[in-house]
């Protein structure tokens, strides 16, 4: 035992001696550098100038190393951290931190409503039949035979559930629900730093092919559903959330592009804030160029292919609590996971807000905008008449 202790002491002494030698070499190097620095300066004025120059160089090098270290830490966090959903009051949504507190103020949790299942079931069945009739009325036979846009569907085989994600129509809520259905724990979801779509696609729901979608929808145990929203209300919600507000840095280039299109240059250091008419002009120009629209305001008759996929249930955002409660009750075992109901509870006066924004549009501009969403209005039985009243009042 004594020999082992002596051996350890010797090793420690060797290590200490090597450290002293290393420190001594560094000290000698510093002395040589200082002497060389003084010798080339030759005068107090040059000495001060050279000192400032060296200081600036060292500061720049240190700053660069610090940024590289932060970037490396960020990359490591992205690799090692599990996805995290920001749980925002009553609605769980995957959001970046700057938006979390704002959303938390707008959320409130409510239980699933007690509903008359038979009455709601009849309403949904009637709606399904009406949508089928309108598809045949407003689409050509060639359009009806087109392949569905399968990429936007999520298929959960364990629960036999198929859903197409219409953004700005309870999408965050149901992306959260589908993550839970995939067996991803709330703890893991709550730690996610990425968007709900990214988490869903990378962790549990790869984008299905057309063949996979058709085969699963046709299976006996599958339940397919879609949630739609009044088209202009959905568009206005997307504008206020993604374009008018400036909390999402991802949309800043688009905001500035739209504002520049409107003839207003962006000021350096100031975030861009396009007006609603400028946003509408951007949508009209993008359509004229044949560009695919952003998923948050893409017409859902083409985004989710309701005329090519015979959804079992088409729920309306406007009556979602009752119809969602029906869906949860009808799908086996779904109620064990999807509860309580998470509802976006913004207390906005929608009538006042709608009048405010749409009164900024001329009737001609509103007609052009309506042409983009005309089939969403027609197929799903929504009425655009009030908006033209607002436009005429402007």
């Amino acid at each position: 035992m004594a020999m082992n202790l002596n051996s350890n002491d010797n090793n420690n002494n060797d290590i200490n001696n090597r450290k002293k030698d290393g420190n001594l070499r560094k000290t000698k190097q510093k002395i040589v550098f200082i002497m060389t620095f003084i010798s080339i300066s030759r005068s107090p004025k040059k000495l001060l100038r050279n000192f400032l120059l060296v200081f600036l160089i060292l500061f720049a090098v240190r700053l660069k190393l610090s940024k590289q270290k932060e970037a490396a830490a960020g990359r490591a966090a992205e690799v090692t951290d599990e996805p995290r959903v920001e749980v925002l009051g009553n609605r769980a949504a995957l959001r970046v931190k700057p938006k979390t507190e704002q959303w938390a103020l707008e959320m409130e949790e409510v239980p699933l409503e007690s509903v008359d299942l038979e009455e709601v079931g009849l309403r949904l069945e009637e709606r399904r039949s009406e949508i089928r009739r309108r598809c045949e009325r407003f689409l050509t036979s060639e359009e009806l035979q087109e392949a569905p846009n399968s990429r936007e569907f999520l298929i959960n085989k364990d629960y036999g559930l198929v859903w197409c994600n219409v953004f700005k129509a309870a999408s965050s809520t149901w992306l959260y629900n589908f993550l839970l259905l995939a067996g991803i724990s709330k703890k893991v979801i709550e730690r996610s730093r990425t968007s709900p779509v990214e988490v869903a696609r990378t962790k549990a729901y790869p984008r299905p092919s057309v063949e996979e979608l058709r085969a699963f929808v046709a299976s006996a145990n599958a339940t397919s559903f879609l949630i739609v929203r009044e088209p202009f209300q959905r568009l206005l919600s997307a504008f206020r959330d993604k374009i008018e507000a400036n909390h999402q840095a991802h949309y800043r280039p688009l905001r500035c592009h739209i504002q520049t299109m409107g003839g207003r240059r962006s000021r350096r250091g100031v975030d861009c804030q396009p007006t609603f008419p400028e946003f509408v002009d951007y949508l009209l120009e993008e359509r004229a160029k044949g560009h695919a629209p952003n998923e948050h305001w893409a017409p859902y008759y083409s985004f989710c292919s309701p005329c090519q996929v015979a959804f079992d249930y088409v729920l309306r955002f406007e009556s979602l609590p009752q119809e969602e409660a029906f869906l949860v009750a009808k799908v086996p075992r779904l109620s064990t996971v999807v509860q309580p109901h998470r509802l976006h509870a913004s207390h906005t006066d929608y009538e006042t807000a709608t009048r405010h924004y749409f009164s900024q549009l001329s009737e001609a501009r509103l007609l052009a905008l309506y042409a983009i969403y005309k089939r969403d209005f027609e197929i799903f039985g929504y009425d655009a008449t009030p908006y033209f009243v607002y436009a005429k009042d402007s």
Side-chain angles (χ1 to χ4, degrees):
M1 180 67 70
M3 290 181 63
N4 289 338
L5 292 173
N6 290 335
S7 176
N8 290 337
D9 289 340
N10 290 334
N11 289 337
N12 291 334
N13 289 333
D14 291 341
I15 292 172
N16 291 332
N17 289 333
R18 284 197 295 271
K19 286 183 178 179
K20 289 178 181 179
D21 291 340
N23 292 334
L24 183 61
R25 281 195 300 272
K26 288 180 181 179
T27 302
K28 288 180 179 179
Q29 290 172 355
K30 289 179 181 178
I31 293 173
V32 172
F33 173 76
I34 293 170
M35 295 299 294
T36 304
F37 182 75
I38 293 174
S39 66
I40 64 174
S41 298
R42 296 185 180 180
S43 69
K45 193 173 184 179
K46 287 186 176 179
L47 178 64
L48 179 61
R49 184 191 65 187
N50 290 340
F51 176 79
L52 290 173
L53 180 63
V54 171
F55 175 79
L56 291 174
I57 292 173
L58 291 175
F59 178 78
V61 170
R62 183 164 186 156
L63 182 63
K64 184 176 181 180
L65 291 173
S66 177
K67 288 183 176 180
Q68 289 176 344
K69 186 176 180 180
E70 289 178 2
R75 288 192 297 271
E78 290 176 2
V79 172
T80 59
D81 283 4
E82 290 291 335
R84 181 183 67 191
V85 173
E86 303 296 349
V87 180
L88 311 175
N90 79 313
R91 171 176 290 195
L94 295 104
R95 294 289 179 180
V96 292
K97 279 289 183 183
K99 191 174 179 182
T100 302
E101 293 184 1
Q102 176 185 342
W103 273 50
L105 296 175
E106 297 180 356
M107 302 298 159
E108 57 188 35
E109 192 170 276
V110 295
L112 285 167
E113 289 197 9
S114 177
V115 299
D116 184 334
L117 296 181
E118 183 177 0
E119 187 275 329
V120 177
L122 290 173
R123 181 204 309 167
L124 293 176
E125 182 58 36
E126 182 180 346
R127 184 182 300 159
R128 183 175 187 266
S129 301
E130 188 62 35
I131 289 171
R132 176 52 49 191
R133 287 193 294 270
R134 288 171 177 161
C135 284
E136 294 172 354
R137 176 182 174 187
F138 294 114
L139 270 65
T140 65
S141 57
E142 290 77 14
E143 288 174 317
L144 291 172
Q145 295 302 316
E146 290 177 354
N149 181 25
S150 63
R151 290 176 51 80
E152 304 305 329
F153 284 74
L154 286 81
I155 298 175
N156 186 289
K157 296 180 179 179
D158 292 337
Y159 289 84
L161 205 58
V162 186
W163 169 58
C164 183
N165 174 25
V166 175
F167 289 86
K168 308 307 296 181
S171 56
S172 295
T173 295
W174 275 95
L175 281 167
Y176 177 78
N177 289 338
F178 263 72
L179 291 174
L180 293 178
L181 293 175
I184 301 176
S185 69
K186 290 183 180 180
K187 183 178 180 180
V188 170
I189 297 173
E190 289 166 7
R191 287 166 44 211
S192 172
R193 291 190 179 93
T194 52
S195 74
V197 176
E198 185 178 347
V199 177
R201 293 304 183 188
T202 57
K203 294 290 181 180
Y205 300 102
R207 299 183 185 274
S209 67
V210 173
E211 293 73 21
E212 289 171 332
L213 174 63
R214 283 175 170 167
F216 195 82
V217 169
S219 61
N221 297 325
T223 300
S224 57
F225 76 102
L226 175 69
I227 303 173
V228 298
R229 185 176 184 178
E230 201 267 32
F232 280 169
Q233 288 298 319
R234 173 175 170 257
L235 176 67
L236 185 56
S237 176
F239 167 73
R240 297 180 70 185
D241 183 35
K242 308 298 180 184
I243 304 301
E244 185 179 54
N246 58 9
H247 51 247
Q248 295 192 37
H250 175 74
Y251 280 87
R252 188 179 190 281
L254 179 57
R255 289 195 292 270
C256 292
H257 171 68
I258 295 173
Q259 181 173 300
T260 303
M261 280 180 53
R264 297 188 298 123
R265 291 187 177 183
S266 58
R267 290 186 295 167
R268 192 169 185 176
V270 179
D271 200 356
C272 303
Q273 193 170 43
T275 65
F276 187 59
E278 288 171 343
F279 174 61
V280 171
D281 286 343
Y282 160 75
L283 297 180
L284 298 178
E285 183 169 322
E286 288 292 289
R287 188 191 191 210
K289 292 178 178 178
H291 294 169
N294 179 284
E295 64 268 20
H296 288 89
W297 46 80
Y300 44 78
Y301 89 89
S302 58
F303 192 73
C304 280
S305 310
C307 293
Q308 289 78 24
V309 176
F311 287 96
D312 294 307
Y313 304 112
V314 176
L315 315 184
R316 277 193 171 197
F317 184 84
E318 296 77 17
S319 51
L320 190 58
Q322 300 83 19
E323 295 175 6
E324 192 175 55
F326 171 87
L327 178 70
V328 171
K330 293 295 288 185
V331 178
R333 300 182 294 120
L334 190 58
S335 61
T336 63
V337 180
V338 182
Q339 66 180 73
H341 174 60
R342 288 176 171 82
L343 178 68
H344 182 242
S346 174
H347 300 290
T348 301
D349 182 342
Y350 284 104
E351 183 176 352
T352 300
T354 301
R355 180 182 293 276
H356 168 72
Y357 289 98
F358 279 86
S359 64
Q360 299 172 34
L361 303 180
S362 66
E363 186 172 355
R365 187 183 269 164
L366 181 56
L367 276 169
L369 180 65
Y370 174 73
I372 297 177
Y373 297 96
K374 182 179 179 181
R375 284 183 169 174
D376 281 355
F377 277 100
E378 292 175 336
I379 293 171
F380 295 94
Y382 288 110
D383 181 18
T385 304
Y387 297 94
F388 288 92
V389 174
Y390 299 147
K392 290 175 183 177
D393 288 346
S394 62

